[in-house]
């Protein structure tokens, strides 16, 4: 017998509890509750920035509780850099930018693993510059062509 393909196969076997433990480890949080708070804050902020198929595909990779937090947000039309993302989240949560950057890295590093390299590459192409570092990735930029200087004839 052949396996029938499913319309939207779930790519994750990770439970929300397991995700919280991973984030707790990455962020060195003292409690599971603190890790959960970081997960919900960061995924809500990402849900305000990510649109299109990438948003849907990422939600399918996440545990249900995390996917609901991501998709419950209405995407914002303003494009912000990675640093703008951190500053906006810090303002919304009342935390310092340094703490918010730490939380963002702890959560998005785990999200990057769940998404896998192909989906992560698509997500990073959709988001403005500066987000790769938040996901624990190097930000590679395409070299910009330099205009040719014209040499005046002597």
């Amino acid at each position: 017998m052949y396996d029938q393909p499913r319309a939207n196969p779930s790519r994750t076997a990770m439970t929300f509890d397991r995700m919280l433990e991973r984030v707790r480890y990455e962020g060195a949080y003292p409690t599971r509750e603190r890790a959960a708070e970081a997960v919900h804050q960061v995924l809500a902020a990402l849900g305000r920035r990510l649109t299109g198929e990438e948003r849907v595909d990422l939600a399918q990779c996440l545990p249900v509780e995390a996917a609901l937090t991501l998709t419950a947000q209405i995407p914002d039309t303003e494009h912000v850099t990675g640093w703008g993302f951190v500053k906006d989240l810090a303002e919304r949560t009342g935390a310092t930018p340094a703490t918010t950057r730490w939380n963002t890295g702890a959560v998005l590093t785990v999200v990057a693993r769940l998404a896998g390299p192909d989906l992560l590459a698509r997500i990073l192409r959709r988001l403005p510059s500066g987000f790769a570092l938040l996901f624990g990735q190097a930000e590679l930029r395409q070299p910009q062509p330099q205009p040719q200087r014209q040499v005046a004839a002597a």
Side-chain angles (χ1 to χ4, degrees), residues 3-24:
D3 289 332
Q4 296 296 321
R6 295 186 307 180
N8 291 314
S10 174
R11 294 181 214 140
T12 183
M14 185 179 283
T15 65
F16 188 64
D17 287 338
R18 181 79 175 123
M19 181 181 184
L20 290 181
E21 285 304 315
R22 287 262 178 101
V23 170
R24 183 177 176 194

Side-chain angles (χ1 to χ4, degrees), residues 89-126:
L89 183 54
E91 289 174 10
R92 289 174 185 266
T93 61
T96 66
T99 299
T100 304
R101 172 60 182 93
W102 182 269
N103 293 345
T104 302
V107 173
L108 293 184
T109 298
V110 173
V111 168
R113 285 190 214 122
L114 288 170
D118 294 337
L119 177 55
L120 182 58
R122 288 177 33 220
I123 290 169
L124 292 176
R125 279 193 299 270
R126 183 171 279 287

Side-chain angles (χ1 to χ4, degrees), residues 36-50 55 62 65-76 85 88-89 92-93 107-108:
E37 181 182 344
V39 166
H40 289 296
Q41 289 174 348
V42 172
L43 288 179
L46 184 61
R48 289 189 291 275
R49 301 292 167 207
L50 192 59
R55 178 182 167 112
L62 299 174
E65 297 89 338
L68 290 173
T69 299
L70 177 82
T71 58
Q73 306 305 309
I74 297 171
D76 193 344
F85 176 84
D88 178 61
L89 183 54
R92 289 174 185 266
T93 61
V107 173
L108 293 184

